[in-house]
Amino acid sequence: MTTSYILERQQELRDMKRLARQAEAAAMEAEERVKEANRLANEHRIAVKMARINGDPEPEAPVLPEPAVEAVAEPAPAPEPEPAPEPEPKAETKKQTKKTAAKKAPAKKPATKRTKK
């Protein structure tokens, strides 16, 4: 027998997981766009160098495709936790400049020989 609060919690977890997957997909998509832009910029840089070597006119800069904007209903943002108040600066204290030498363990006594009785 399942109670209502357990069902509500399960639904909340499903919703959070769905939102996390959407955010991850958006992040991966943005990363791919950045990689593509970097690749195009690199190819353009190389094309400009080759044009200078060959004496050709420099090619035009590549046009980056605009990302398609999708109508996605975004959930209401979660309330942000209040930032912790900054601690007051403490008065500067002098640090000890002398370092204490580590104490060495006393030397072990040599083992005595055991004789048979």
Side-chain angles (χ1 to χ4, degrees):
M1 195 164 143
T2 307
T3 57
S4 63
Y5 69 91
I6 292 177
L7 292 174
E8 291 172 1
R9 180 68 180 145
Q10 288 174 346
Q11 186 61 40
E12 289 175 11
L13 291 173
R14 285 187 200 110
D15 293 341
M16 289 189 318
K17 185 73 170 184
R18 180 177 42 83
L19 293 174
R21 284 192 297 262
Q22 287 176 350
E24 183 179 337
M28 288 180 64
E29 192 174 298
E31 184 178 327
E32 288 175 9
R33 277 187 259 132
V34 168
K35 283 183 180 180
E36 180 66 17
N38 289 342
R39 185 187 63 77
L40 289 174
N42 188 38
E43 287 178 359
H44 179 260
R45 181 183 56 82
I46 293 171
V48 168
K49 287 182 180 181
M50 293 302 294
R52 281 189 209 145
I53 292 171
N54 296 332
D56 299 334
E58 291 184 6
E60 294 181 15
V63 178
L64 299 177
E66 291 292 324
V69 178
E70 297 178 12
V72 178
E74 294 187 23
E80 295 182 16
E82 295 181 15
E86 295 183 20
E88 296 179 15
K90 296 181 180 179
E92 294 184 27
T93 57
K94 292 184 180 180
K95 293 185 180 180
Q96 186 179 7
T97 56
K98 282 189 174 182
K99 293 185 180 179
T100 56
K103 293 183 180 178
K104 292 184 178 179
K108 293 183 179 179
K109 295 180 181 177
T112 58
K113 287 187 176 178
R114 295 189 179 200
T115 57
K116 292 184 181 179
K117 290 186 180 183

